[in-house]
Amino acid sequence: MKLRTPLVLAAAGSALVLLSSASAIAGEDTGLGIATGGKNEESISAGVSVSYKSSGGKGRESGPITASGSWTPPACWYAPRWTAGEFKKFREGVYNAAVHDPGLPNDVRGEISDENSDYREDDNYNLEKEKDGLWWDAYQNPDAPLAEQAECDEDPFWVTNGETPDVPNAITPETLAGLAYNQVKVPGTKVTLAPADATKVNLPTWAWLDKGEFQPVSVTASFDAPGFHIEATTTATPVALTIKPGTENAQLHPSSGACPINEDGSIGTPYTKGASAELPPCGVTYLRSSGEGTFKLRATATWKITWKGTGGVGGDLPDGVYGNDQDITVEEIQSVNR
């Protein structure tokens, strides 16, 4: 079968996706049905979709994690889209729309006609094999660069039930794990500080997050089509919080700035009265004043990412990070000599 050409842009909600000219002409619903925090009811076509549900990740200033290194979620993949009867209806709709569209270039109309002839001659859309398989098609991740979305440019193809098509990017649980990764949202990292309003030069500033602030967050991505179901759950587990003081004139505690997470899920230790002379297990000592402004202290959490999918498969994905800035005022300690 020929590669799909040409490609056109069409809107799917607020995102842009790449479609074949045939899909665009037929007015096919192309929304990817992406939702976080609950199962989505929208579908791409013929009742199939990638849907998401999540647990955890709520809290102040929550947001998406960023993968370390150059890893990115899948940009496109192939998966079931139609039964034989649905595919015949879809293709004939494409052909009829092309015939009655006076503005469509003749070469595009001719290509669509040739494709329909191929499908009709190739076992009449596989109508006699209706219960034996499904027509697969390309899907795109609207969050991926358009050029990468376009890499899945094969025309729809027939796959017998239980078989795995011999094409790159055929959907697998790991595909869904990568898509779920892209939907993970974790709590913000605004730490509690002592002193709270303004700290002093050379005075250790304590930083901490109470227990319960950081807990594992999971997102499950599933793909369903008639007689076809796979899913994967991606879990982000917090492993460390790194502090950057916003100035070189500071000493971190510990010196690496990486505050480990305690067994109860808390980070650091809350300040208690009388501990001002001690060094905090998580914090910073500023060596110069912030003047009339503030320093931007940034706390960034590192999350270990694992996944498990249909068939007992699973593994690791690159660590993710997410952080927040907060303004901190550092004052000089004033003294009077007599």
Side-chain angles (χ1 to χ4, degrees):
M1 186 62 66
K2 305 179 297 299
L3 295 181
R4 354 178 125 170
T5 57
L7 290 170
V8 296
L9 290 177
S14 59
L16 286 177
V17 297
L18 282 172
L19 308 171
S20 69
S21 56
S23 297
I25 292 168
E28 179 185 346
D29 176 10
T30 58
L32 277 175
I34 289 177
T36 301
K39 191 162 184 177
N40 192 15
E41 299 299 331
E42 296 180 5
S43 64
I44 300 173
S45 68
V48 297
S49 66
V50 177
S51 58
Y52 302 88
K53 58 182 179 180
S54 63
S55 63
K58 299 179 181 179
R60 55 185 181 180
E61 301 184 30
S62 62
I65 54 176
T66 300
S68 59
S70 58
W71 181 90
T72 57
C76 65
W77 59 96
Y78 295 102
R81 191 187 289 270
W82 302 279
T83 64
E86 290 165 344
F87 184 60
K88 178 178 184 293
K89 181 178 178 180
F90 164 69
R91 286 301 315 186
E92 290 182 348
V94 170
Y95 175 74
N96 291 332
V99 169
H100 294 96
D101 184 355
L104 193 67
N106 288 333
D107 58 340
V108 175
R109 185 182 292 106
E111 179 183 355
I112 293 172
S113 178
D114 291 344
E115 288 176 347
N116 264 34
S117 296
D118 290 342
Y119 287 121
R120 282 195 300 269
E121 294 170 4
D122 184 14
D123 293 330
N124 192 25
Y125 304 101
N126 285 324
L127 290 176
E128 294 185 359
K129 303 177 182 178
E130 180 85 34
K131 298 180 180 181
D132 298 334
L134 294 167
W135 283 96
W136 285 44
D137 194 23
Y139 292 75
Q140 289 81 25
N141 179 352
D143 296 324
L146 292 176
E148 294 180 17
Q149 292 182 38
E151 291 177 3
C152 295
D153 56 3
E154 292 281 356
D155 276 335
F157 51 89
W158 179 260
V159 178
T160 301
N161 293 335
E163 293 186 357
T164 300
D166 186 20
V167 295
N169 300 331
I171 193 169
T172 64
E174 188 168 5
T175 305
L176 294 174
L179 294 172
Y181 189 119
N182 205 34
Q183 300 297 318
V184 170
K185 287 189 176 181
V186 295
T189 55
K190 188 174 182 180
V191 293
T192 302
L193 298 172
D197 299 323
T199 190
K200 308 295 183 182
V201 172
N202 295 324
L203 176 68
T205 300
W206 293 56
W208 69 92
L209 283 170
D210 293 329
K211 64 180 179 180
E213 291 272 346
F214 272 17
Q215 298 293 334
V217 179
S218 295
V219 173
T220 298
S222 59
F223 185 93
D224 291 277
F228 184 95
H229 171 85
I230 58 172
E231 65 179 48
T233 297
T234 297
T235 300
T237 303
V239 292
L241 184 80
T242 302
I243 290 179
K244 293 185 178 180
T247 174
E248 294 180 355
N249 298 301
Q251 292 179 344
L252 291 167
H253 314 296
S255 59
S256 64
C259 304
I261 294 180
N262 303 319
E263 291 184 1
D264 63 0
S266 64
I267 298 176
T269 301
Y271 175 79
T272 56
K273 187 176 180 179
S276 58
E278 302 176 15
L279 290 179
C282 182
V284 58
T285 299
Y286 286 95
L287 306 179
R288 295 187 64 176
S289 159
S290 60
E292 297 182 357
T294 59
F295 294 129
K296 282 196 176 295
L297 181 146
R298 182 168 184 82
T300 301
T302 299
W303 299 76
K304 179 177 176 58
I305 311 298
T306 58
W307 68 275
K308 294 181 179 179
T310 301
V313 296
D316 296 332
L317 291 171
D319 288 350
V321 295
Y322 179 69
N324 299 113
D325 292 333
Q326 57 195 101
D327 293 329
I328 183 166
T329 301
V330 182
E331 302 172 340
E332 292 278 6
I333 299 176
Q334 301 295 325
S335 60
V336 179
N337 295 320
R338 296 186 179 180

